[in-house]
Amino acid sequence: MPVARVTTKLHFAVDALGKPLRMILSAGQVADIECAHDLIADMPCASLVADKGYDANALVMSIEASGAQAVIPPRSNRIAPRHYDRCAYRARNLIERFFNRIKHYRRIATRYDKLACSYMAFVRIVCAVISYRYM
């Protein structure tokens, strides 16, 4: 009989300097694309850079409807691949570096807190420290 694992995922939106703007905590089995609309809602930007997990026509159309450019590479199984700006896509390493920085805090990486509110409180503290340290 399979054992149900209780996990969580952190979803972040960062600015052009790698500083956190918005965060969402979701269940571990939730796909990244399901939190994307809430993560970028009412966020003004010139371009939005994301990985292949966010490649969906509805999301790309909503990004472009807001006046921003969607810099999301197409998935390999797309019939008609979309074009994207490869030079702008290099900026995606900012979010990867941000996740690397917060994982240096063991309490975040291993999720010791049982309650979501106490876990998110510590994540907010770490985000403030990272924002202050890397100004």
Side-chain angles (χ1 to χ4, degrees):
M1 187 158 143
V3 177
R5 303 210 187 270
V6 180
T7 60
T8 56
K9 267 189 205 175
L10 285 171
H11 305 270
F12 277 95
V14 299
D15 64 2
L17 299 174
K19 304 223 185 322
L21 298 174
R22 192 173 291 165
M23 65 182 144
I24 296 175
L25 182 70
S26 70
Q29 69 271 16
V30 173
D32 293 341
I33 192 76
E34 292 182 27
C35 297
H37 290 288
D38 296 333
L39 196 61
I40 63 169
D42 303 324
M43 191 177 293
C45 62
S47 65
L48 190 126
V49 182
D51 64 352
K52 290 182 181 185
Y54 294 94
D55 181 30
N57 291 333
L59 180 64
V60 171
M61 288 191 311
S62 69
I63 292 168
E64 291 174 350
S66 69
Q69 177 190 8
V71 183
I72 304 171
R75 291 183 183 213
S76 60
N77 61 355
R78 258 192 186 267
I79 295 172
R82 289 182 305 98
H83 295 287
Y84 69 101
D85 187 1
R86 290 179 185 259
C87 292
Y89 185 68
R90 291 181 188 158
R92 197 179 75 80
N93 72 42
L94 289 170
I95 190 70
E96 299 298 332
R97 287 188 289 169
F98 175 76
F99 274 110
N100 187 20
R101 285 185 193 128
I102 67 170
K103 286 181 181 178
H104 285 219
Y105 295 86
R106 186 174 173 193
R107 187 170 170 181
I108 292 176
T110 57
R111 176 70 200 266
Y112 287 134
D113 298 309
K114 290 188 179 204
L115 300 177
C117 62
S118 60
Y119 181 66
M120 288 301 285
F122 190 74
V123 170
R124 286 185 182 101
I125 291 169
V126 169
C127 287
V129 167
I130 288 173
S131 294
Y132 178 73
R133 185 177 290 170
Y134 297 99
M135 287 176 77

